[in-house]
Amino acid sequence: MSILVTGGAGYIGSHTSIALLKAGYSVIIADNFFNSRPEMIQKIEQLAGKKVIFYEVDVTNEQAVNQIFIHHQIDGIIHFAGLKAVGESVKKPLKYYYNNILSTLVLAKACHKYGVDKFVFSSSATVYGDNKVPFVETMDLLPTTNPYGETKVMSERILTDFGKVNPNFSVSLLRYFNPVGAHESGLIGEAPNGIPNNLMPYITQVAKGKLERLRIFGNDYPTVDGTGVRDYIHVMDLAEAHVAALEHLTPGVNIYNLGTGKGTSVLELVKAFEDANGITIPYEVVARRLGDIAECYADVSKAKRELGWEAKRDIVTMCRDAWRFERYYEE
Ligand code: WQD
């Protein structure tokens, strides 16, 4: 089977492309390198030991996307391509709504036009808003604090409504918690452009000496130690969950939380990183970050029950693999 992976040169897309190739799928990657680099394609092929077909396209470009469907037999789509910086989305809402919503519309329209009925969508735990933890797929969604989160809610709704009138259409909405870590080779990983927004890449850059110290955004939350609690999941566990979701697709809409089901605070993650790698991470506590919630972690029983999938890699492995990638990584 041939799978179109949009954003396949990105952090989660590249790891998933490797998992797909290893599972015997053919992979077509569509990416515009907005938040990734051309050398990722060669690294994916090297790590998977197989070739991919690659198109440098912006998936909001309907004509360019249609050309891929015209020239290739596509059996399914995994749609990663999108902007994902929460803070930036507050400052540039139109950029986020345009890019993230139009890309979903273009791809759903192409599925209809070319008869592709398997769709896996990269969604996010952000859609839950400030619900009560642990988050469960059946929960009513609450308003998110940012346009990025709203684009995920809207894309889920577009695909759900499209599924309602196309009985053969199978869509899996995968709600990621906090993806971290890197492929065990250290060859690929999370390489954000500029100063990292997310905690783990910030920690690894402090460890490397690129950044002076970690700023912990608030220690007065109602949590175990006052710092924010999140459900960190290894990116390779996440990648393998996409293969499982693809293999278990059935007509209709299925929603799955992809996390470990365990919450880890900022201070606990810092300590885990220090213990796993024998490095001290200097930090200072500063004011809370706008839009942050105290706790976010998943009820992961549905993915285990229906996909036969659960996260296998622990927080120590996440910290070791993240650090290995940072050490080897050259800008
Ligand atoms: C984690 C914790 C911060 C940086 C976001 C998106 C989510 C997904 C993952 C796209 C929080 C604290 C962070 C720092 C800190 N992105 N922190 N100092 O905000 O949970 O989730 O990224 O899909 O959709 O919402 O991740 O890594 O930014 O923050 O203290 O320099 O670390 O306050 O408690 P977040 P994060």
Side-chain angles (χ1 to χ4, degrees), residues 201-263:
Y202 204 104
I203 287 174
T204 58
Q205 290 194 19
V206 170
K208 196 171 184 180
K210 281 173 70 175
L211 295 168
E212 191 188 344
R213 70 168 64 85
L214 172 67
R215 295 163 306 150
I216 297 183
F217 299 139
N219 65 352
D220 57 352
Y221 285 102
T223 63
V224 59
D225 57 22
T227 63
V229 170
R230 296 293 184 270
D231 186 336
Y232 297 99
I233 175 171
H234 196 291
V235 66
M236 281 312 295
D237 277 328
L238 199 56
E240 289 160 11
H242 286 74
V243 178
L246 202 56
E247 288 170 351
H248 288 80
L249 274 174
T250 52
V253 181
N254 283 298
I255 302 173
Y256 298 102
N257 287 336
L258 297 183
T260 63
K262 289 188 278 298

Short mmCIF file of all heavy atoms in Angstrom, two decimals, residues 201-263:
data_model
loop_
_atom_site.label_atom_id
_atom_site.label_comp_id
_atom_site.label_asym_id
_atom_site.label_seq_id
_atom_site.Cartn_x
_atom_site.Cartn_y
_atom_site.Cartn_z
N PRO A 201 13.36 20.40 23.74
CA PRO A 201 14.44 20.96 22.93
C PRO A 201 15.14 22.14 23.61
O PRO A 201 16.33 22.37 23.41
CB PRO A 201 13.77 21.37 21.62
CG PRO A 201 12.32 21.34 21.88
CD PRO A 201 12.09 20.40 23.02
N TYR A 202 14.41 22.85 24.47
CA TYR A 202 15.05 23.93 25.22
C TYR A 202 16.07 23.34 26.20
O TYR A 202 17.22 23.80 26.29
CB TYR A 202 14.00 24.77 25.97
CG TYR A 202 14.49 26.18 26.26
CD1 TYR A 202 14.02 27.27 25.53
CD2 TYR A 202 15.45 26.41 27.26
CE1 TYR A 202 14.49 28.56 25.78
CE2 TYR A 202 15.93 27.68 27.52
CZ TYR A 202 15.44 28.75 26.77
OH TYR A 202 15.92 30.04 27.01
N ILE A 203 15.67 22.27 26.89
CA ILE A 203 16.58 21.61 27.84
C ILE A 203 17.83 21.09 27.11
O ILE A 203 18.96 21.29 27.58
CB ILE A 203 15.86 20.45 28.56
CG1 ILE A 203 14.85 20.99 29.57
CG2 ILE A 203 16.87 19.53 29.26
CD1 ILE A 203 13.99 19.91 30.23
N THR A 204 17.63 20.45 25.95
CA THR A 204 18.81 19.88 25.27
C THR A 204 19.75 20.99 24.79
O THR A 204 20.97 20.81 24.77
CB THR A 204 18.40 18.99 24.08
OG1 THR A 204 17.62 19.76 23.15
CG2 THR A 204 17.62 17.77 24.56
N GLN A 205 19.19 22.15 24.43
CA GLN A 205 20.06 23.25 23.99
C GLN A 205 20.78 23.90 25.18
O GLN A 205 21.91 24.39 25.03
CB GLN A 205 19.26 24.29 23.18
CG GLN A 205 18.83 23.74 21.82
CD GLN A 205 18.34 24.81 20.86
OE1 GLN A 205 18.62 26.01 21.03
NE2 GLN A 205 17.60 24.40 19.84
N VAL A 206 20.17 23.86 26.35
CA VAL A 206 20.88 24.31 27.57
C VAL A 206 22.01 23.31 27.86
O VAL A 206 23.15 23.70 28.11
CB VAL A 206 19.92 24.42 28.77
CG1 VAL A 206 20.70 24.63 30.08
CG2 VAL A 206 18.91 25.55 28.56
N ALA A 207 21.70 22.04 27.74
CA ALA A 207 22.71 20.99 28.00
C ALA A 207 23.91 21.16 27.07
O ALA A 207 25.06 20.93 27.45
CB ALA A 207 22.08 19.61 27.81
N LYS A 208 23.62 21.60 25.85
CA LYS A 208 24.68 21.74 24.83
C LYS A 208 25.43 23.06 24.98
O LYS A 208 26.44 23.29 24.32
CB LYS A 208 24.06 21.65 23.43
CG LYS A 208 25.04 21.38 22.30
CD LYS A 208 24.32 21.10 21.01
CE LYS A 208 25.27 20.74 19.88
NZ LYS A 208 24.52 20.47 18.61
N GLY A 209 24.86 23.96 25.80
CA GLY A 209 25.51 25.27 26.00
C GLY A 209 25.06 26.31 25.00
O GLY A 209 25.58 27.41 24.98
N LYS A 210 24.09 25.94 24.15
CA LYS A 210 23.59 26.94 23.16
C LYS A 210 22.72 27.98 23.88
O LYS A 210 22.63 29.12 23.42
CB LYS A 210 22.75 26.24 22.08
CG LYS A 210 23.59 25.55 21.02
CD LYS A 210 22.74 24.73 20.07
CE LYS A 210 21.89 25.58 19.15
NZ LYS A 210 21.16 24.74 18.17
N LEU A 211 22.06 27.57 24.97
CA LEU A 211 21.23 28.49 25.75
C LEU A 211 21.75 28.45 27.19
O LEU A 211 22.19 27.40 27.67
CB LEU A 211 19.76 28.07 25.67
CG LEU A 211 19.12 28.18 24.28
CD1 LEU A 211 17.76 27.48 24.26
CD2 LEU A 211 18.97 29.63 23.86
N GLU A 212 21.64 29.59 27.87
CA GLU A 212 22.33 29.71 29.18
C GLU A 212 21.63 28.91 30.27
O GLU A 212 22.26 28.16 31.00
CB GLU A 212 22.39 31.19 29.56
CG GLU A 212 23.30 31.48 30.76
CD GLU A 212 23.16 32.95 31.20
OE1 GLU A 212 22.63 33.75 30.40
OE2 GLU A 212 23.56 33.26 32.33
N ARG A 213 20.31 29.11 30.39
CA ARG A 213 19.59 28.38 31.45
C ARG A 213 18.11 28.22 31.06
O ARG A 213 17.62 28.96 30.21
CB ARG A 213 19.69 29.12 32.78
CG ARG A 213 18.93 30.42 32.85
CD ARG A 213 18.85 30.93 34.28
NE ARG A 213 20.17 31.26 34.80
CZ ARG A 213 20.76 32.44 34.60
NH1 ARG A 213 20.13 33.37 33.91
NH2 ARG A 213 21.95 32.68 35.09
N LEU A 214 17.49 27.27 31.67
CA LEU A 214 16.06 27.03 31.41
C LEU A 214 15.23 28.02 32.24
O LEU A 214 15.54 28.27 33.41
CB LEU A 214 15.68 25.60 31.83
CG LEU A 214 14.19 25.26 31.81
CD1 LEU A 214 13.65 25.26 30.37
CD2 LEU A 214 13.96 23.91 32.47
N ARG A 215 14.24 28.60 31.63
CA ARG A 215 13.28 29.41 32.39
C ARG A 215 12.05 28.52 32.62
O ARG A 215 11.46 28.04 31.65
CB ARG A 215 12.88 30.64 31.56
CG ARG A 215 14.02 31.61 31.31
CD ARG A 215 13.67 32.54 30.18
NE ARG A 215 13.28 31.76 29.01
CZ ARG A 215 12.40 32.18 28.09
NH1 ARG A 215 11.80 33.35 28.23
NH2 ARG A 215 12.09 31.42 27.05
N ILE A 216 11.73 28.31 33.88
CA ILE A 216 10.55 27.50 34.21
C ILE A 216 9.37 28.44 34.37
O ILE A 216 9.40 29.35 35.21
CB ILE A 216 10.78 26.66 35.48
CG1 ILE A 216 11.93 25.66 35.23
CG2 ILE A 216 9.50 25.96 35.89
CD1 ILE A 216 12.21 24.73 36.40
N PHE A 217 8.36 28.23 33.52
CA PHE A 217 7.23 29.17 33.48
C PHE A 217 6.25 28.90 34.61
O PHE A 217 5.19 28.33 34.42
CB PHE A 217 6.51 29.06 32.12
CG PHE A 217 7.37 29.41 30.94
CD1 PHE A 217 7.29 28.66 29.78
CD2 PHE A 217 8.26 30.48 30.97
CE1 PHE A 217 8.07 28.96 28.66
CE2 PHE A 217 9.05 30.79 29.87
CZ PHE A 217 8.96 30.04 28.72
N GLY A 218 6.63 29.34 35.78
CA GLY A 218 5.70 29.29 36.92
C GLY A 218 5.87 28.04 37.76
O GLY A 218 6.02 26.94 37.24
N ASN A 219 5.85 28.22 39.07
CA ASN A 219 5.89 27.06 39.99
C ASN A 219 4.80 27.21 41.04
O ASN A 219 4.93 26.73 42.16
CB ASN A 219 7.26 26.93 40.65
CG ASN A 219 7.58 28.11 41.56
OD1 ASN A 219 6.84 29.10 41.57
ND2 ASN A 219 8.66 28.00 42.31
N ASP A 220 3.71 27.87 40.60
CA ASP A 220 2.59 28.08 41.56
C ASP A 220 1.31 27.45 41.01
O ASP A 220 0.20 27.89 41.31
CB ASP A 220 2.39 29.57 41.81
CG ASP A 220 2.13 30.34 40.51
OD1 ASP A 220 2.26 29.73 39.41
OD2 ASP A 220 1.78 31.55 40.58
N TYR A 221 1.46 26.42 40.18
CA TYR A 221 0.28 25.70 39.69
C TYR A 221 -0.15 24.68 40.74
O TYR A 221 0.69 24.21 41.54
CB TYR A 221 0.61 24.95 38.38
CG TYR A 221 0.71 25.83 37.16
CD1 TYR A 221 1.95 26.20 36.64
CD2 TYR A 221 -0.43 26.30 36.52
CE1 TYR A 221 2.06 27.02 35.52
CE2 TYR A 221 -0.34 27.11 35.40
CZ TYR A 221 0.90 27.45 34.90
OH TYR A 221 0.99 28.26 33.79
N PRO A 222 -1.43 24.31 40.74
CA PRO A 222 -1.90 23.29 41.71
C PRO A 222 -1.47 21.89 41.26
O PRO A 222 -2.27 21.05 40.87
CB PRO A 222 -3.43 23.44 41.63
CG PRO A 222 -3.71 23.98 40.28
CD PRO A 222 -2.54 24.86 39.92
N THR A 223 -0.16 21.65 41.27
CA THR A 223 0.37 20.34 40.82
C THR A 223 1.34 19.81 41.88
O THR A 223 1.60 20.46 42.89
CB THR A 223 1.16 20.50 39.50
OG1 THR A 223 2.29 21.36 39.77
CG2 THR A 223 0.30 21.11 38.39
N VAL A 224 1.91 18.65 41.57
CA VAL A 224 2.76 17.94 42.54
C VAL A 224 3.85 18.85 43.11
O VAL A 224 4.15 18.82 44.30
CB VAL A 224 3.37 16.69 41.89
CG1 VAL A 224 4.21 17.05 40.65
CG2 VAL A 224 4.19 15.87 42.88
N ASP A 225 4.46 19.68 42.28
CA ASP A 225 5.54 20.55 42.77
C ASP A 225 5.36 21.99 42.29
O ASP A 225 6.31 22.78 42.31
CB ASP A 225 6.91 20.00 42.31
CG ASP A 225 7.00 19.86 40.80
OD1 ASP A 225 6.25 20.55 40.07
OD2 ASP A 225 7.83 19.04 40.33
N GLY A 226 4.16 22.31 41.81
CA GLY A 226 3.88 23.69 41.39
C GLY A 226 4.18 23.96 39.94
O GLY A 226 3.74 24.97 39.37
N THR A 227 4.93 23.05 39.28
CA THR A 227 5.25 23.31 37.86
C THR A 227 4.30 22.50 36.96
O THR A 227 3.66 21.55 37.42
CB THR A 227 6.71 22.91 37.54
OG1 THR A 227 6.89 21.51 37.74
CG2 THR A 227 7.69 23.70 38.42
N GLY A 228 4.24 22.90 35.70
CA GLY A 228 3.27 22.31 34.77
C GLY A 228 3.49 20.81 34.58
O GLY A 228 4.63 20.36 34.48
N VAL A 229 2.39 20.08 34.51
CA VAL A 229 2.44 18.62 34.32
C VAL A 229 1.94 18.28 32.92
O VAL A 229 0.88 18.76 32.50
CB VAL A 229 1.58 17.91 35.39
CG1 VAL A 229 1.41 16.41 35.07
CG2 VAL A 229 2.22 18.07 36.77
N ARG A 230 2.74 17.45 32.19
CA ARG A 230 2.37 17.07 30.84
C ARG A 230 2.60 15.58 30.64
O ARG A 230 3.32 14.93 31.41
CB ARG A 230 3.24 17.83 29.81
CG ARG A 230 3.04 19.34 29.83
CD ARG A 230 1.66 19.74 29.36
NE ARG A 230 1.48 21.18 29.28
CZ ARG A 230 1.04 21.94 30.27
NH1 ARG A 230 0.77 21.38 31.45
NH2 ARG A 230 0.89 23.25 30.11
N ASP A 231 2.00 15.04 29.58
CA ASP A 231 2.13 13.61 29.24
C ASP A 231 3.12 13.53 28.07
O ASP A 231 2.74 13.66 26.91
CB ASP A 231 0.74 13.09 28.84
CG ASP A 231 0.73 11.60 28.60
OD1 ASP A 231 1.80 11.03 28.28
OD2 ASP A 231 -0.35 10.99 28.71
N TYR A 232 4.40 13.29 28.40
CA TYR A 232 5.44 13.23 27.37
C TYR A 232 5.45 11.84 26.75
O TYR A 232 5.43 10.84 27.48
CB TYR A 232 6.80 13.58 27.98
CG TYR A 232 6.83 15.00 28.50
CD1 TYR A 232 6.65 15.26 29.85
CD2 TYR A 232 6.97 16.07 27.64
CE1 TYR A 232 6.61 16.56 30.34
CE2 TYR A 232 6.95 17.38 28.12
CZ TYR A 232 6.76 17.62 29.47
OH TYR A 232 6.71 18.92 29.94
N ILE A 233 5.48 11.80 25.41
CA ILE A 233 5.46 10.51 24.71
C ILE A 233 6.61 10.48 23.71
O ILE A 233 6.86 11.47 23.01
CB ILE A 233 4.11 10.27 24.00
CG1 ILE A 233 4.15 8.97 23.16
CG2 ILE A 233 3.64 11.45 23.18
CD1 ILE A 233 2.82 8.53 22.61
N HIS A 234 7.32 9.35 23.66
CA HIS A 234 8.46 9.22 22.75
C HIS A 234 7.98 9.26 21.30
O HIS A 234 7.00 8.58 20.94
CB HIS A 234 9.19 7.90 23.01
CG HIS A 234 10.57 7.85 22.42
ND1 HIS A 234 10.79 7.80 21.06
CD2 HIS A 234 11.78 7.84 23.00
CE1 HIS A 234 12.10 7.76 20.83
NE2 HIS A 234 12.73 7.79 21.99
N VAL A 235 8.69 10.02 20.48
CA VAL A 235 8.24 10.21 19.10
C VAL A 235 8.20 8.90 18.32
O VAL A 235 7.37 8.73 17.41
CB VAL A 235 9.14 11.26 18.39
CG1 VAL A 235 10.57 10.77 18.22
CG2 VAL A 235 8.54 11.71 17.08
N MET A 236 9.03 7.92 18.69
CA MET A 236 8.95 6.63 17.99
C MET A 236 7.71 5.84 18.42
O MET A 236 7.09 5.15 17.62
CB MET A 236 10.22 5.80 18.22
CG MET A 236 11.41 6.22 17.37
SD MET A 236 11.05 6.43 15.60
CE MET A 236 10.62 4.76 15.11
N ASP A 237 7.30 5.99 19.67
CA ASP A 237 6.02 5.38 20.09
C ASP A 237 4.88 6.00 19.31
O ASP A 237 3.96 5.34 18.83
CB ASP A 237 5.79 5.60 21.60
CG ASP A 237 6.52 4.57 22.46
OD1 ASP A 237 6.69 3.42 22.01
OD2 ASP A 237 6.92 4.94 23.58
N LEU A 238 4.98 7.31 19.14
CA LEU A 238 3.96 8.04 18.38
C LEU A 238 3.94 7.57 16.93
O LEU A 238 2.88 7.30 16.35
CB LEU A 238 4.28 9.53 18.45
CG LEU A 238 3.19 10.53 18.15
CD1 LEU A 238 1.98 10.35 19.04
CD2 LEU A 238 3.72 11.96 18.30
N ALA A 239 5.11 7.40 16.35
CA ALA A 239 5.22 6.94 14.95
C ALA A 239 4.58 5.57 14.79
O ALA A 239 3.78 5.34 13.87
CB ALA A 239 6.69 6.91 14.54
N GLU A 240 4.88 4.68 15.72
CA GLU A 240 4.32 3.32 15.64
C GLU A 240 2.81 3.32 15.82
O GLU A 240 2.10 2.51 15.25
CB GLU A 240 5.03 2.43 16.67
CG GLU A 240 6.48 2.14 16.27
CD GLU A 240 7.38 1.70 17.42
OE1 GLU A 240 6.83 1.41 18.52
OE2 GLU A 240 8.60 1.64 17.23
N ALA A 241 2.31 4.30 16.57
CA ALA A 241 0.85 4.40 16.77
C ALA A 241 0.17 4.74 15.45
O ALA A 241 -0.96 4.31 15.19
CB ALA A 241 0.53 5.47 17.81
N HIS A 242 0.85 5.49 14.58
CA HIS A 242 0.26 5.86 13.27
C HIS A 242 0.11 4.62 12.39
O HIS A 242 -0.88 4.48 11.66
CB HIS A 242 1.11 6.91 12.57
CG HIS A 242 0.98 8.27 13.17
ND1 HIS A 242 1.55 8.61 14.37
CD2 HIS A 242 0.30 9.37 12.77
CE1 HIS A 242 1.24 9.84 14.67
NE2 HIS A 242 0.48 10.33 13.71
N VAL A 243 1.08 3.73 12.44
CA VAL A 243 0.99 2.49 11.66
C VAL A 243 -0.17 1.67 12.19
O VAL A 243 -1.00 1.17 11.42
CB VAL A 243 2.32 1.71 11.74
CG1 VAL A 243 2.21 0.39 10.97
CG2 VAL A 243 3.47 2.55 11.18
N ALA A 244 -0.28 1.59 13.52
CA ALA A 244 -1.39 0.83 14.12
C ALA A 244 -2.74 1.45 13.74
O ALA A 244 -3.69 0.74 13.38
CB ALA A 244 -1.23 0.82 15.64
N ALA A 245 -2.80 2.79 13.75
CA ALA A 245 -4.07 3.46 13.41
C ALA A 245 -4.45 3.18 11.96
O ALA A 245 -5.61 2.88 11.64
CB ALA A 245 -3.93 4.97 13.64
N LEU A 246 -3.45 3.22 11.09
CA LEU A 246 -3.68 2.95 9.66
C LEU A 246 -4.22 1.53 9.48
O LEU A 246 -5.19 1.29 8.74
CB LEU A 246 -2.35 3.10 8.91
CG LEU A 246 -2.35 3.38 7.44
CD1 LEU A 246 -3.14 4.63 7.08
CD2 LEU A 246 -0.90 3.53 6.96
N GLU A 247 -3.62 0.60 10.20
CA GLU A 247 -4.00 -0.82 10.04
C GLU A 247 -5.35 -1.14 10.66
O GLU A 247 -5.95 -2.14 10.34
CB GLU A 247 -2.89 -1.69 10.62
CG GLU A 247 -1.65 -1.66 9.72
CD GLU A 247 -0.41 -2.30 10.32
OE1 GLU A 247 -0.43 -2.64 11.51
OE2 GLU A 247 0.56 -2.45 9.56
N HIS A 248 -5.82 -0.28 11.54
CA HIS A 248 -7.11 -0.55 12.19
C HIS A 248 -8.22 0.38 11.71
O HIS A 248 -9.27 0.47 12.33
CB HIS A 248 -6.97 -0.43 13.71
CG HIS A 248 -6.21 -1.55 14.35
ND1 HIS A 248 -4.82 -1.58 14.34
CD2 HIS A 248 -6.62 -2.69 14.96
CE1 HIS A 248 -4.42 -2.68 14.96
NE2 HIS A 248 -5.48 -3.37 15.35
N LEU A 249 -7.95 1.09 10.62
CA LEU A 249 -8.98 2.01 10.12
C LEU A 249 -10.25 1.26 9.72
O LEU A 249 -10.18 0.23 9.07
CB LEU A 249 -8.46 2.77 8.89
CG LEU A 249 -7.67 4.04 9.14
CD1 LEU A 249 -7.12 4.57 7.83
CD2 LEU A 249 -8.54 5.11 9.81
N THR A 250 -11.37 1.80 10.16
CA THR A 250 -12.67 1.25 9.72
C THR A 250 -13.53 2.45 9.29
O THR A 250 -13.31 3.57 9.78
CB THR A 250 -13.39 0.54 10.90
OG1 THR A 250 -13.43 1.46 12.01
CG2 THR A 250 -12.65 -0.72 11.31
N PRO A 251 -14.52 2.20 8.42
CA PRO A 251 -15.34 3.33 7.96
C PRO A 251 -15.94 4.09 9.15
O PRO A 251 -16.34 3.50 10.15
CB PRO A 251 -16.44 2.64 7.13
CG PRO A 251 -15.76 1.42 6.60
CD PRO A 251 -14.86 0.95 7.71
N GLY A 252 -15.88 5.42 9.05
CA GLY A 252 -16.38 6.27 10.13
C GLY A 252 -15.21 7.02 10.75
O GLY A 252 -14.10 7.01 10.24
N VAL A 253 -15.49 7.66 11.88
CA VAL A 253 -14.48 8.50 12.53
C VAL A 253 -14.07 7.89 13.86
O VAL A 253 -14.94 7.55 14.67
CB VAL A 253 -15.05 9.92 12.80
CG1 VAL A 253 -13.99 10.79 13.46
CG2 VAL A 253 -15.55 10.54 11.51
N ASN A 254 -12.77 7.70 14.04
CA ASN A 254 -12.27 7.20 15.33
C ASN A 254 -11.28 8.19 15.92
O ASN A 254 -10.43 8.73 15.19
CB ASN A 254 -11.60 5.84 15.14
CG ASN A 254 -12.64 4.74 14.97
OD1 ASN A 254 -13.43 4.51 15.88
ND2 ASN A 254 -12.69 4.13 13.79
N ILE A 255 -11.39 8.43 17.20
CA ILE A 255 -10.51 9.40 17.89
C ILE A 255 -9.66 8.63 18.91
O ILE A 255 -10.20 7.79 19.65
CB ILE A 255 -11.36 10.45 18.65
CG1 ILE A 255 -12.30 11.18 17.68
CG2 ILE A 255 -10.45 11.44 19.37
CD1 ILE A 255 -13.28 12.12 18.36
N TYR A 256 -8.35 8.91 18.92
CA TYR A 256 -7.48 8.24 19.89
C TYR A 256 -6.52 9.22 20.56
O TYR A 256 -5.86 10.02 19.88
CB TYR A 256 -6.65 7.14 19.20
CG TYR A 256 -7.49 6.05 18.60
CD1 TYR A 256 -7.74 6.01 17.22
CD2 TYR A 256 -8.09 5.08 19.40
CE1 TYR A 256 -8.54 5.03 16.67
CE2 TYR A 256 -8.90 4.09 18.86
CZ TYR A 256 -9.12 4.07 17.49
OH TYR A 256 -9.92 3.08 16.94
N ASN A 257 -6.41 9.11 21.87
CA ASN A 257 -5.36 9.83 22.61
C ASN A 257 -4.05 9.07 22.45
O ASN A 257 -4.02 7.84 22.64
CB ASN A 257 -5.69 9.87 24.11
CG ASN A 257 -6.82 10.82 24.43
OD1 ASN A 257 -7.08 11.75 23.67
ND2 ASN A 257 -7.49 10.58 25.53
N LEU A 258 -3.00 9.79 22.12
CA LEU A 258 -1.67 9.15 22.03
C LEU A 258 -0.76 9.79 23.08
O LEU A 258 -0.24 10.89 22.90
CB LEU A 258 -1.09 9.29 20.63
CG LEU A 258 -1.89 8.59 19.53
CD1 LEU A 258 -1.17 8.75 18.19
CD2 LEU A 258 -2.13 7.12 19.84
N GLY A 259 -0.63 9.09 24.19
CA GLY A 259 0.21 9.55 25.30
C GLY A 259 0.65 8.31 26.06
O GLY A 259 0.47 7.18 25.60
N THR A 260 1.21 8.55 27.24
CA THR A 260 1.59 7.40 28.09
C THR A 260 0.57 7.18 29.21
O THR A 260 0.57 6.16 29.87
CB THR A 260 2.96 7.68 28.75
OG1 THR A 260 2.81 8.83 29.61
CG2 THR A 260 4.05 7.94 27.73
N GLY A 261 -0.27 8.22 29.43
CA GLY A 261 -1.22 8.14 30.55
C GLY A 261 -0.60 8.59 31.86
O GLY A 261 -1.26 8.64 32.90
N LYS A 262 0.69 8.99 31.78
CA LYS A 262 1.38 9.45 33.00
C LYS A 262 1.73 10.94 32.88
O LYS A 262 2.13 11.42 31.81
CB LYS A 262 2.70 8.67 33.20
CG LYS A 262 2.49 7.24 33.62
CD LYS A 262 3.82 6.56 33.99
CE LYS A 262 4.58 6.07 32.78
NZ LYS A 262 3.88 5.04 32.00
N GLY A 263 1.57 11.67 33.97
CA GLY A 263 1.93 13.10 33.96
C GLY A 263 3.32 13.27 34.57
O GLY A 263 3.67 12.59 35.53
#
